Amino acid sequence: MRIGVIGAGQLGGTLAAWCAESGHDVAVTSRHPERLRERVDRMGGKLRVMSIPQAAAFGDIVIFAPNWSGAKEAVDLTRSALEGKVVIDGTNPEDGVPGVPAGSFTGAFTGSYLTGASTKDPVLIAAAVNGPPGEASDRLMEHAGAKSGLETLIEWAPGAHWVKAFNNLSTDVLSRRRGHDPLLAEFVCTDERDAREAACQIIRELGFAPFYAGGAKAARLTETGGPLQAREVDVQDATDALADALATLG
C-alpha cells in the first residue's frame, strides 16, 4: 500500500518509518528534506521525500501529522488530493479550535460548556462499559459545546474520510510499548467505516491494539485537554478507561 505522511516531526517521521518497515511504500513531507536523508537511506527505497501536495496525491491512505498551527495550510494545499481518501489525523489542537471561544475546549470537560441532560447519566455511562464501544461516547458528546479538532478538519476538507488516531500519546511511549504484551490501546474516532477499518489495520500492523472510542465528536476525549490525552492504557483496560473519561464530562 502507498502511504503519504504529511508532517515529518516526531510523530509523522516515526509513523512514516514504521509504515515503511511494515512493507508499505511511504512518502513523507518535510521543509528540510536533508534532515531525513539518513532515515530515507536506511529504508532502502521504501521511504521517499515529497512536497505536501505530492505526498497527498501519492498515498492510497494519508497520515496527517503537521503541527496544528500549519494544519489549515496543509489542508488547503491537499484538499483535492484528499478527496475520497482515508486520512488518519494525528494532530492535537494547541490552543483550542478555530471558531470556539477561548477556554471552551477544556471547559467542556469540566461542565462549564455543557448543555441539556447531565452527561453523568448513569445509563449512558453504563452503556460505555457494557454496550458497543464508542456508542455512548457519541451520545454523550452531543451534550458538549466545543467541537473537536477532527470536526474542524472535516469542515475544511469534507471530501476526505477522516479518522482520529495516534494523537494521544508521545512517540516515546509508542516506541516503548510497540509490539509488547499487553498491547497498548490506540483509540480510534471516526464516523466513516472505511476509515475506521483502514486505521485499525495500520494500528495492528504497527504493533498496537485499535479501540473504537466513538465518532468525530468523541475525538475531543483524546485531544488537548481531553481525559484520554497522554493516558497510557492496556487494551484490556480500554473499555474502563473510556467509561472513566466519559464520567468526567458532567
Side-chain angles (χ1 to χ4, degrees):
M1 183 188 302
R2 299 199 306 184
I3 298 176
V5 181
I6 297 175
Q10 281 283 68
L11 180 63
T14 298
L15 293 180
W18 288 350
C19 287
E21 289 171 1
S22 297
H24 299 292
D25 290 326
V26 181
V28 64
T29 66
S30 177
R31 289 187 171 89
H32 305 285
E34 68 281 357
R35 298 178 184 176
L36 298 176
R37 181 54 51 200
E38 180 180 348
R39 183 171 290 177
V40 169
D41 292 343
R42 191 167 61 245
M43 292 298 110
K46 288 290 186 178
L47 184 65
R48 62 198 79 183
V49 181
M50 295 184 179
S51 69
I52 290 176
Q54 288 173 332
F58 172 85
D60 302 311
I61 292 175
V62 174
I63 296 175
F64 189 80
N67 292 330
W68 181 255
S69 59
K72 182 61 164 61
E73 179 185 2
V75 169
D76 289 343
L77 289 170
T78 59
R79 188 176 291 107
S80 60
L82 297 180
E83 190 84 17
K85 291 185 179 181
V86 170
V87 185
I88 301 174
D89 168 33
T91 64
N92 280 307
E94 297 160 357
D95 299 307
V97 177
V100 176
S104 298
F105 197 73
T106 54
F109 298 104
T110 59
S112 302
Y113 295 87
L114 295 174
T115 60
S118 170
T119 53
K120 284 199 173 183
D121 183 335
V123 175
L124 294 183
I125 297 301
V129 178
N130 303 315
E135 181 178 284
S137 304
D138 296 336
R139 295 167 64 192
L140 281 166
M141 298 308 287
E142 289 293 334
H143 299 298
K147 62 185 174 182
S148 66
L150 179 61
E151 290 176 285
T152 298
L153 292 173
I154 292 170
E155 291 178 0
W156 290 345
H161 296 191
W162 291 94
V163 52
K164 196 83 175 186
F166 294 116
N167 68 297
N168 75 310
L169 293 169
S170 70
T171 54
D172 288 341
V173 173
L174 294 175
S175 298
R176 172 169 52 82
R177 294 294 305 274
R178 182 186 178 205
H180 295 295
D181 287 327
L183 288 178
L184 180 67
E186 186 59 54
F187 293 103
V188 176
C189 299
T190 184
D191 297 307
E192 305 278 357
R193 179 171 293 277
D194 64 333
R196 176 176 170 179
E197 292 174 351
C200 288
Q201 176 186 338
I202 290 177
I203 288 167
R204 291 189 187 97
E205 288 178 356
L206 298 189
F208 307 102
F211 188 90
Y212 182 62
K217 289 184 180 298
R220 283 180 36 249
L221 296 169
T222 70
E223 293 175 345
T224 306
L228 293 176
Q229 174 66 205
R231 185 165 179 184
E232 185 177 340
V233 180
D234 295 343
V235 65
Q236 67 264 28
D237 301 322
T239 298
D240 288 344
L242 177 59
D244 289 345
L246 294 172
T248 70
L249 294 176

